[in-house]
Every structure is written in structure tokens, then in C-alpha cells.
Amino acid sequence: MKTALTIAGSDSSGGAGIQADIKTMTVHGVYAMSAITALTAQNTMGVQKVMEVTPEFLSQQLESVFTDIYPDAIKIGMVSSSALIEVIAEKLTFYDAKNIVVDPVMVATSGSKLINDKAIEYLKNKLFAKATLLTPNIPEAEILSGRTIKTSEDMIAAARIMSEEYGTAVLCKGGHALNEANDLFYYNHQYKWFIGERIENSNTHGTGCTLSSAITSYLAQGKDLENAIWLAKNYLSGALRAMLNLGKGSGPLKHTWNLEGGYEE
Ligand SMILES: Nc1ncnc2c1ncn2[C@@H]1O[C@H](COP(=O)(O)OP(=O)(O)OP(=O)(O)O)[C@@H](O)[C@H]1O
Ligand SMILES: Cc1ncc(COP(=O)(O)O)c(N)n1
């Protein structure tokens, strides 16, 4: 069985973070493991409280996982402080980790900030160069590239800046654009659009986490990067199309849709 590790925050409401990642990896037939960076008390309406783990405890979780069940691929999500980022960067190097998807989570769908400013600099300087793929959404891509994104051309320019600066592939997600759900992939001085039909569903809590952990699952199974992105986007579209409607705010996706025989693309 292929194995994957998520290094991320726990979401008590189960729609994003560690819980979304484990559900997604599991329905892809991949053995999921976790190293938790923070506990969040959150629901579909917002993040009520965050409790970070200590760098020592994160370090121990990573050591416990890597020295026993080596992950074939790794997803990194919410990491809110520079000390935790340093620990992750050090362990990824020490254990020679491969197939690393970094989702630079900064703000939850509900608007709550999930990272501090110093940590953003550490992400850029210590973690991004180790990534196989970075998956910023549009607001994150604006912060990371220093460019305002209003058009498709702006998305290409921002992705180029990030890809060239960090020497990694970038998938700039277009879920925050108004009419489309097209994601822009940039690697090796070339770009490609991953076109998605926009689904009218206001329950989008955890779309970013789910997409990045689906990509990670496919990488663990040995798919190449572009194929992994196509397959993951198809999975995500099905999870939105299943129209689960839970909670009072922006609710979670139906992660199990692909086990139920419906919603074929
Ligand atoms: N309404 C939608 N219909 C179809 N696809 C969507 C929709 N909204 C988002 N997506 C897709 O979901 C994925 C995540 O994109 P998005 O830009 O929402 O990321 P994100 O902001 O990191 O997610 P999150 O809401 O978890 O923070 C992308 O592939 C995007 O195209
Ligand atoms: C622990 C954790 N990690 C990531 C997100 C971002 O996901 P979203 O933007 O969909 O709320 C979140 N809300 N909580």
C-alpha cells in the first residue's frame, strides 16, 4: 500500500486541514499519516481558537513517522509560525523526503488568518525550494509574488515569478476568480491551464486542502505531476458536485463521493 503524510492543522469541524487530508488520502486507497502543527477550534462559520504544538512536539511526530513508515508523498498545509517551519525544513532534508506538495495556507475561507508575517518569510526562504509543487490560491499568489491578480495574464505572471524564484512547479488555483474554476500550472518556463467548470455550490470549506491532498495521493501512487493534478481536480469537482450541505456557514465537501458510484465526469 502506498503511504502519504500530511503536515497540517487539525480542523475540529472535519472539513479542512488534517481531517480533509486523511479522508481524501483514504478514499484514494493511500495509507494516510499525520503530523499536526496546530489544533484549531473551528466550524463552517469561522476559526474560534488556535493552539499551536511546540516545535519539539512537531519534530517528534515527524521523527516517529519517518523512522517507521516512510511516506511516499507529503502534503504540507497550515504551518503558522517560523519555528515550526524550521523544524519541517530540517526533517524533510534529514529524511530525504520526496514528492512534497506545499499548500501555503494563509487565510481560511471564513476570513481568519492562519499564519503570521514572519512565518510567510520562512515559508519562502526555507520550505518552498523543497517543494515538488506549490498550490497557492489567488490571494496567496498575490502575497507571494508581490503582484495584484485581476486577469488570466496576471495569474500567469504571478506563477512565473513564484516558479522562477523558488525553482519549483506552481499551481495557482482559480477558485477565487468570479466566473471560472481554472487553475494555472507553471513549470520550467512553460504554463498550462487546467480548465474546470465552475459549480454553483457555496459549501467550499476545505477545497484547497482537498485538492492538495488528492494531488499528494496520486503522487504517492507514482503518477506524474500533471496527471496527478488532472485526476485531483476531477475528484474535487465531484466532491463539490455531490452538494453536501452541512453547517450554518460554508460547509464541507463530500469526500466519499467517489466510493458511491455516481457523479462521473
Ligand atoms: N465553485 C467551484 N467550482 C468548481 N471548482 C472550484 C470551485 N471553487 C473552487 N474550485 C476549485 O477548487 C480548487 C481549490 O481552489 P481555491 O481557489 O478555492 O483554493 P483555496 O482558496 O486554497 O481553497 P480554500 O477554500 O480551501 O481556502 C481549485 O481547483 C479550484 O479551481
Ligand atoms: C486547519 C486548517 N487548515 C487549512 C484551512 C484552510 O481551508 P479553508 O480555506 O477551506 O477553510 C483551514 N480552514 N483550517
Side-chain angles (χ1 to χ4, degrees):
M1 191 173 191
K2 298 297 183 187
T3 60
L5 167 66
T6 168
I7 307 173
S10 159
D11 168 8
S12 52
S13 69
I18 289 281
Q19 287 79 359
D21 297 343
I22 290 181
K23 289 174 196 181
T24 301
M25 291 167 180
T26 303
V27 301
H28 283 89
V30 169
Y31 183 78
M33 299 177 281
S34 64
I36 299 184
T37 57
L39 305 178
T40 72
Q42 75 174 289
N43 55 29
T44 61
M45 292 174 292
V47 179
Q48 286 80 42
K49 231 169 182 142
V50 177
M51 188 170 115
E52 237 179 46
V53 304
T54 61
E56 294 71 29
F57 194 73
L58 179 61
S59 176
Q60 183 61 63
Q61 291 179 76
L62 293 169
E63 213 172 299
S64 298
V65 170
F66 274 104
T67 54
D68 189 18
I69 305 176
Y70 193 85
D72 294 307
I74 299 171
K75 174 244 160 96
I76 302 173
M78 171 188 172
V79 194
S80 45
S81 75
S82 46
L84 295 178
I85 293 166
E86 263 191 311
V87 164
I88 296 169
E90 189 211 312
K91 293 292 177 197
L92 294 180
T93 303
F94 186 79
Y95 291 110
D96 195 22
K98 305 259 166 15
N99 294 324
I100 301 168
V101 178
V102 178
D103 187 13
V105 174
M106 295 184 188
V107 181
T109 307
S110 55
S112 308
K113 211 168 167 206
L114 296 174
I115 190 167
N116 66 45
D117 292 341
K118 186 173 167 205
I120 294 177
E121 287 311 304
Y122 271 64
L123 276 182
K124 291 186 192 173
N125 298 330
K126 306 229 174 214
L127 212 51
F128 286 176
K130 301 188 189 308
T132 307
L133 179 70
L134 291 186
T135 62
N137 62 22
I138 288 179
E140 289 155 356
E142 289 186 321
I143 292 169
L144 295 172
S145 68
R147 269 192 78 117
T148 305
I149 300 176
K150 295 255 181 273
T151 63
S152 306
E153 291 306 311
D154 294 335
M155 263 172 98
I156 298 169
R160 178 187 303 127
I161 291 170
M162 289 181 280
S163 177
E164 287 172 4
E165 187 152 348
Y166 308 118
T168 175
V170 173
L171 184 72
C172 183
K173 297 172 294 188
H176 291 249
L178 281 183
N179 302 315
E180 294 152 344
N182 300 336
D183 304 339
L184 189 267
F185 177 72
Y186 196 101
Y187 191 45
N188 264 340
H189 313 290
Q190 291 185 330
Y191 69 84
K192 179 171 181 171
W193 286 99
F194 285 78
I195 304 292
E197 180 201 338
R198 191 162 190 89
I199 298 153
E200 283 319 312
N201 183 348
S202 56
N203 294 309
T204 58
H205 179 76
T207 48
C209 302
T210 300
L211 182 76
S212 58
S213 49
I215 296 170
T216 305
S217 304
Y218 287 116
L219 291 178
Q221 290 167 349
K223 302 273 191 270
D224 68 47
L225 189 51
E226 290 190 29
N227 219 351
I229 294 171
W230 272 124
L231 292 164
K233 198 160 166 60
N234 181 53
Y235 167 73
L236 178 82
S237 301
L240 275 169
R241 213 168 268 139
M243 293 292 165
L244 183 64
N245 189 11
L246 293 176
K248 297 176 180 151
S250 176
L253 310 176
K254 189 163 191 182
H255 287 99
T256 51
W257 75 273
N258 62 334
L259 304 179
E260 294 164 5
Y263 314 108
E264 290 289 338
E265 283 283 87

